[in-house]
Amino acid sequence: MNQIKLSENIYYVGVNDRHTDKFENHMELPNGVSYNSYLIVDEKVALIDPVEANFLEEYLFKVKSVLGERKVDYLIINHDEPDHSSTVAAVLREYPGVQVVGNAKTFAPLEAFYGPIENKVTVAEGETLSLGTHTLQFFMVPMVHWPESMVTYEQNSKIVFSNDAFGGFGALNGGIFDDQVNLAFYEDEMRRYYANIVGKVAMQALKAIEKLSALEIKMIAPSHGLVWRSNLAWVIGKYTQWSKQESEEGIVIVYGSMHGNTARMAEIVARGAAETGIKEVKVYDVAKTEVSFIMSDIWKYKGVIIGACAHYGSMFPNMTLLVHEINEFKPKDKCYATFGGMSWSGGGVRTLAKYAEEGKWNLVTDSVEVKGAPIREEDWDKLYELGKAVAEAVKQQ
Ligand code: FEO
């Protein structure tokens, strides 16, 4: 049977999930996702981060196809979130006596999810665990993605098992390693994962990168997405860029429109932006494109223009989730503007103003609110100028 090896005696035993509609039940997965797990076979056997519960049978088959009748000695829990940990109880039943390795913050949540765990090994920052010729070393990366998150470094092969850090959406289509695939697709899905899961704790992610930079790393093996062995500088560079929130020249225009009038306004705004020479102008209908994709582009680009029509004195309801996410994740150094249709008493632009104030958005020009459709020249001009003003601000930043 073909085994996937990261190095001699270190195996990939992860699985692909192509049927879950939404990650954490709110982020769409049109390309699936992988739950990566790794097996180190030495005098002692260590299993690093299990997988999601729906894949238990396939997972155990893969583990056993490497181990045969051998037992697992250590189960390393880098992270408690159930997309990795929900097979823990089943692994403990399959391998009674396995020592479960975590840190001081690992076990309370883990036991709250799955009940008492008998054989616990608590490791501290920098502590090591010998498997024979391989030695595991543990480093805490709190909040990347939960308080207990840690990474495991194998000193002999110099592989870091980074858990959610450096992870991405997208099932692995045969290519497990970065040099076996077209990276453009995985870059987009990795940034979408980052922007919606890690972005809120970008500072902690940056600290984690700085901590890991002290290690000699030959491979990064995350719990989702590709294993990085050939493009380490590239992926570390991308992760650092996203963590520092160094965004690129471009503008995201998102609109919510019931009858197409605010959509027509967005077209005029986009035209104003594009005529300044900015080539990356992305226009999204918030009712059509799921928020995680829009957040990914907001993370990427400097300009953010949001348009919402009125809806019963407030704004188009689907816009609420997006602006909530913006204010939760607080993407830095953006150039914002807002616009929208009034209907009979307004509310779209007024509600956006409240979110802008709460989120301390850097509004680079006055909002534009239009009665009815953008059919009057003065309205058309204001919308065009709004797009242009954001574009100019983006260029100057
Ligand atoms: Fe992939 Fe935070 O779990």
Side-chain angles (χ1 to χ4, degrees):
M1 188 178 292
N2 177 262
Q3 310 287 2
I4 303 166
K5 284 189 173 188
L6 277 67
S7 71
E8 195 61 29
N9 297 322
I10 300 185
Y11 300 83
Y12 176 89
V13 288
V15 296
N16 279 319
D17 180 351
R18 300 182 195 273
H19 69 239
T20 297
D21 289 333
K22 292 178 180 172
F23 193 75
E24 295 181 355
N25 209 19
H26 68 104
M27 289 167 267
E28 286 179 3
L29 289 174
N31 307 301
V33 66
S34 70
Y35 309 115
N36 300 346
S37 177
Y38 305 93
L39 190 57
I40 305 178
V41 182
D42 201 332
E43 290 166 27
K44 299 286 186 184
V45 171
L47 193 52
I48 298 181
D49 288 317
V51 301
E52 206 272 335
N54 286 320
F55 298 87
L56 177 65
E57 186 180 342
E58 179 184 353
Y59 178 57
L60 289 178
F61 175 83
K62 287 188 172 187
V63 171
K64 285 173 185 293
S65 77
V66 176
L67 286 183
E69 294 305 309
R70 280 196 72 176
K71 302 296 180 196
V72 175
D73 297 290
Y74 296 109
L75 175 63
I76 315 296
I77 304 293
N78 280 329
H79 182 22
D80 283 341
E81 195 169 9
D83 54 325
H84 310 287
S85 71
S86 52
T87 39
V88 162
V91 171
L92 298 185
R93 283 194 296 276
E94 192 69 27
Y95 295 109
V98 63
Q99 308 267 311
V100 182
V101 180
N103 59 66
K105 292 180 180 169
T106 303
F107 293 110
L110 201 63
E111 292 184 312
F113 281 132
Y114 311 113
I117 292 170
E118 280 182 19
N119 303 307
K120 297 186 281 255
V121 178
T122 302
V123 293
E125 174 76 14
E127 200 170 320
T128 58
L129 175 67
S130 175
L131 305 177
T133 59
H134 297 84
T135 300
L136 304 181
Q137 190 171 19
F138 306 96
F139 297 96
M140 308 303 131
V141 290
M143 296 314 298
V144 188
H145 158 222
W146 279 9
E148 85 299 345
S149 292
M150 67 178 188
V151 301
T152 299
Y153 177 66
E154 200 289 297
Q155 294 178 339
N156 184 44
S157 59
K158 307 194 186 315
I159 298 173
V160 61
F161 299 94
S162 61
N163 199 264
D164 278 352
F166 297 96
F169 293 129
L172 298 173
N173 299 323
I176 305 293
F177 298 94
D178 59 332
D179 47 34
Q180 297 177 325
V181 301
N182 179 343
L183 282 186
F185 163 77
Y186 286 100
E187 178 184 348
D188 284 347
E189 281 292 68
M190 195 173 170
R191 192 186 60 254
R192 186 165 71 94
Y193 185 94
Y194 185 95
N196 290 278
I197 293 170
V198 184
K200 186 170 169 61
V201 291
M203 279 306 297
Q204 286 91 333
L206 202 53
K207 281 183 192 162
I209 295 167
E210 282 164 8
K211 180 185 283 193
L212 296 178
S213 68
L215 301 171
E216 184 186 352
I217 296 173
K218 288 194 174 163
M219 208 178 294
I220 298 174
S223 291
H224 303 286
L226 295 170
V227 176
W228 299 87
R229 66 181 179 189
S230 297
N231 298 279
L232 288 174
W234 182 87
V235 74
I236 292 169
K238 284 288 172 194
Y239 223 74
T240 305
Q241 178 192 342
W242 298 333
S243 299
K244 287 184 173 174
Q245 304 202 40
E246 295 170 346
S247 42
E248 300 172 19
E249 186 175 285
I251 298 176
V252 182
I253 301 170
V254 194
Y255 66 86
S257 183
M258 285 195 290
H259 302 294
N261 294 311
T262 300
R264 284 171 68 179
M265 295 173 209
E267 302 293 349
I268 301 165
V269 170
R271 189 74 197 125
E275 283 215 317
T276 65
I278 292 218
K279 293 200 166 61
E280 296 292 342
V281 177
K282 309 280 186 181
V283 179
Y284 291 110
D285 177 346
V286 78
K288 291 247 173 14
T289 304
E290 191 262 310
V291 161
S292 71
F293 291 91
I294 302 172
M295 283 298 289
S296 179
D297 267 355
I298 287 176
W299 212 267
K300 182 173 184 179
Y301 296 116
K302 287 180 185 162
V304 183
I305 306 178
I306 300 181
C309 68
H311 181 262
Y312 281 115
S314 182
M315 70 175 171
F316 186 73
N318 296 38
M319 187 59 78
T320 307
L321 177 58
L322 177 68
V323 291
H324 168 81
E325 289 291 273
I326 289 173
N327 284 3
E328 275 288 298
F329 280 67
K330 299 180 176 58
K332 284 198 311 191
D333 299 331
K334 304 295 174 188
C335 301
Y336 284 97
T338 65
F339 67 95
M342 251 189 105
S343 195
W344 63 84
S345 62
V349 170
R350 194 165 58 232
T351 306
L352 284 174
K354 287 183 193 163
Y355 280 95
E357 188 180 355
E358 178 195 298
K360 299 185 173 62
W361 298 359
N362 170 33
L363 292 166
V364 299
T365 187
D366 290 341
S367 299
V368 176
E369 190 167 39
V370 174
K371 280 185 183 166
I375 53 175
R376 286 163 290 278
E377 191 169 348
E378 64 178 74
D379 288 334
W380 199 99
D381 286 347
K382 282 182 193 167
L383 291 162
Y384 183 89
E385 290 300 323
L386 182 146
K388 203 170 148 190
V390 174
E392 297 295 356
V394 162
K395 284 193 198 173
Q396 283 167 20
Q397 235 195 26

